[in-house]
Each structure stands twice: as C-alpha cells, then as structure tokens.
Amino acid sequence: MLMRLVSRFVSLTDLDKSKIDLFSAVAFVLCAMEPTFAASLTLIGPEVFLLCFALMAIVFMLEQRRLLFVCSVAILGITSMRGMMVSAGICLADMLLLYLKDRKIKPIFSRLYQYLIAAVPAVAFVLWRLVDKGWITSNPVAFQESVWPDGGVVGFTSNFIHNVVVLIRWLLDFGRIVPVLLTLWLLSRGRKQWVGNKTVSELLMLTFIPTSVVIVTSLLIHNTMGHRYFTITYVMVVLLFSYLVLSNRQKHRAWLLTLVAVAFLGGDLMVYPDNISQGWDASLAHIHYWKVRQQALDYMEENQITPDQICKYGFGNSNDDSDLGGDVRRYKITNDCPYAMCSNIDNLPDNDLAYLEKEYTRLKRFQKMGVWIDLLKRNSQD
C-alpha cells in the first residue's frame, strides 16, 4: 500500500514518464527508511496492523473506492485506541478534501452514513469496555490526575507546555529535522507555485489532519504520547518532501534526496546520553540490544549467576518477558541482591543510576553501537 500511495503522487509530478518508476522506487525507499516507520515493522504488537489499515484507508480514499475505504477505517478503528484517533482523523481529512473540491457542505452529509458505518466496530468496543470495566481508557480517578496533575489550572498549564515541547522533539527526532526543514524551505521558496496546487493541498491535509485528534489528546493528557503516535505523519512528511523535490526540476534533486536518506541512517544510529530518555522502539538502534543481551546471558551461564541472584532494573522480570523463549525464571525486584543488571535501553531514572553507581561495582559491560547492558556486583558491606 505504501508503494501504491507513493506511485500515485510521484506520477503527478512533472517528471518524464520514463523516470516515474525509478523515482517512485526512490521515494518509496525514502519513506520506508523513516526510522520510526522502519522500527514499527520490527515490533510485536498492533503497530503493523495500524499502519497497514491507515495506509489502505488513505489510498482507497484518494481512489474513491468507498466500500474499501469504509472497511479499512472500520478495521483501523479497532486496532487500538490510537487507531480510533487516526481513523477519526482520516475521516476528517476526507470531509475537508470533499468540501474544498466544491466548497459545499452538502456532499459531506451525503457521505455521513459511510462514516457512521465505519465507526460501528469502534463504538461497539467502547460501549463494551464501558459496560464491562466501567470506564473507556483508564480509571476515571487516574484519568483526572493525568489531565490535572496538581488538581488545578497551574498543573494543567505546566503539563500542556511540557507536552508541546515533547511533541516538537518527537517530530524532529531521529533525523526528521532534515526533511521537515527542507519541506518548509521548499514550500516557502515556491509558495506561488504551490498555492492552489491540488496535489500539495491533498498531501498537506493527509499530513496534518489524520493525526490532529492524536495531537490534541496528547497535549491535554499527562504522559500519553510517544514517537509512534505520529508514524503516519512522519511518512506523509517524507512523501510531501519527495513530491516537492521531484516537481521542481532542481539541479540538486539527487543531493536533497540523499541528504534525507543520510539523516535517516544517522537517526537509526543515534543513541542519547544515559541521562536523556530515548524512544528505543522508534528507531532501529534497538536491534543491537538482542545480541548484547544474549552475550550477557551467556556470561551469566558461564559464571553460574542465576536470575534469582540478580536485581534487574528496567523492563522484564524474566527472560521470557523479553524474548518469549520459555525461560520463566524470575529476577528479583528488591534491592538486596548480590548482583544487579541494567541497560540504557530501559531509560532508567537518574536516581536509579545514582543508586547503582553508589552500591554496586561494574562486573562486566556488554556493548554494541551505543547499546549496553551492565552486570554489576554489590559492594562489600564492611
């Protein structure tokens, strides 16, 4: 579906027909290289299904295949709560594009039944959860605290500003700052050319509207968003950039495309300092963790260090939690172990790092491409 979407927009550029297939492939590779999109394809979870049905919904919307569009949105809405938000955003984009076509609201009402049908599975799930659990997303008390952390306007405002800063970081992280800035530059430089351009309007709407619901929710609620909440936005930004570059007949077209590719490769290699949290599931930097982890497990086996001797800091209280390999032996969760294990992939808080540095001595570090796991031994108590 991604290739189909890319080919559609590349075919609308000013390229010679003989070059359309080549540059469609180039734009597809560039979109697929986007770090968070690429990382999402390596994860076990609903992310792949969300991306698949979101792309299907966009393609079928543009192709005016309404039955398939409704089916795609309906399935997208039950992949996850985030899928519900993205599906609502895609429907809003469809409405807005329909309005901009004739500047009339009546056509939107004629399609209203399609949106209602597409919403049935999501509404049914929400109602079932409300009846079964008594709430929709979380406990009402916890939800209230997440929106109003301090129970007042000051807490809400502070949380809102914090989320704005985090959102900007997410949008520019892992090399995305390069295509974002280049896209803004190309739009500004050729604004006379792009004003009124139907294709650019479509791309802009599909870039921002589908995630508008997610953005609004993320800004209001405490600690609810991550990089992968905006994966579709990232892909559409790269597609918009590709369209602008390929439509301009620029001498430096190849250099601009290469620059973005290099930025994405750099983003996949980017590892922040230990005291700065990183979205490990939002780039391919995490793939080195599994080899490093196996080295640590082999060392433990060779030196007869068992999980029940280790206080593990971070995700997973057993090896099975991480690799589903069947090793259900549990690590200890108290602070009185002879050994401890931690990794920068767990984004440990500063107080945990300080405690480990004070109470333990590093026995062995296993490391590759910035990803590390430390096996620590408790200092002797004299």
Side-chain angles (χ1 to χ4, degrees), residues 307-376:
D308 61 358
Q309 296 176 283
I310 300 174
C311 293
K312 188 172 186 300
Y313 287 75
F315 171 77
N317 289 327
S318 73
N319 293 327
D320 187 65
D321 290 343
S322 297
D323 58 20
L324 305 179
D327 184 358
V328 295
R329 292 178 297 173
R330 312 293 292 182
Y331 293 96
K332 298 186 74 173
I333 58 175
T334 58
N335 293 327
D336 58 352
C337 311
Y339 298 96
M341 179 184 288
C342 63
S343 171
N344 60 340
I345 206 168
D346 291 312
N347 287 332
L348 293 181
D350 292 344
N351 59 325
D352 280 353
L353 292 173
Y355 173 81
L356 290 171
E357 185 177 357
K358 177 182 177 182
E359 299 294 333
Y360 290 84
T361 299
R362 184 189 302 164
L363 185 63
K364 184 79 172 177
R365 168 167 283 195
F366 310 90
Q367 185 171 4
K368 183 176 181 181
M369 300 297 290
V371 179
W372 56 260
I373 293 178
D374 276 352
L375 184 61
L376 310 169

Side-chain angles (χ1 to χ4, degrees), residues 255-313:
W255 285 106
L256 292 173
L257 294 170
T258 302
L259 181 60
V260 172
V262 171
F264 285 162
L265 288 174
D268 281 324
L269 298 174
M270 183 183 299
V271 175
Y272 288 119
D274 298 342
N275 59 343
I276 299 178
S277 64
Q278 175 157 338
W280 288 99
D281 58 354
S283 78
L284 295 179
H286 74 274
I287 61 175
H288 304 293
Y289 170 76
W290 305 104
K291 185 173 183 179
V292 172
R293 177 177 173 276
Q294 190 57 52
Q295 292 173 351
L297 294 177
D298 291 343
Y299 180 87
M300 290 164 50
E301 190 73 25
E302 292 170 4
N303 292 272
Q304 299 182 340
I305 301 174
T306 57
D308 61 358
Q309 296 176 283
I310 300 174
C311 293
K312 188 172 186 300
Y313 287 75

Side-chain angles (χ1 to χ4, degrees), residues 65-86:
R65 303 176 70 175
R66 303 306 299 180
L67 177 59
L68 292 175
F69 168 75
V70 170
C71 293
S72 300
V73 172
I75 299 174
L76 173 62
I78 57 174
T79 56
S80 64
M81 295 300 292
R82 197 185 330 151
M84 293 182 191
M85 300 177 193
V86 175

Side-chain angles (χ1 to χ4, degrees), residues 1-12 53-70 72-73 90-91 93-98 101 111 114-115 198-207 210 232 236 239-240 243:
M1 278 299 162
L2 179 59
M3 184 63 185
R4 194 159 156 181
L5 182 64
V6 170
S7 297
R8 180 188 186 277
F9 283 106
V10 173
S11 66
L12 297 174
F53 288 107
L55 291 172
M56 287 175 64
I58 292 172
V59 168
F60 293 139
M61 178 186 74
L62 295 171
E63 294 179 354
Q64 294 301 315
R65 303 176 70 175
R66 303 306 299 180
L67 177 59
L68 292 175
F69 168 75
V70 170
S72 300
V73 172
I90 291 175
C91 288
D94 186 48
M95 293 178 192
L96 188 55
L97 289 172
L98 186 62
K101 183 178 180 180
R111 290 185 180 179
Q114 298 177 4
Y115 306 131
K198 178 184 175 183
T199 305
V200 172
S201 297
E202 284 184 347
L203 282 167
L204 286 171
M205 296 299 171
L206 293 172
T207 299
I232 289 297
M236 296 307 300
L239 185 52
L240 174 59
Y243 176 83

Side-chain angles (χ1 to χ4, degrees), residues 18 36 44 53 86 127 138-139 174 194 211 243 287 350 353 355 375:
S18 59
T36 304
I44 299 175
F53 288 107
V86 175
L127 292 176
S138 62
N139 185 292
F174 298 122
W194 306 130
T211 50
Y243 176 83
I287 61 175
D350 292 344
L353 292 173
Y355 173 81
L375 184 61

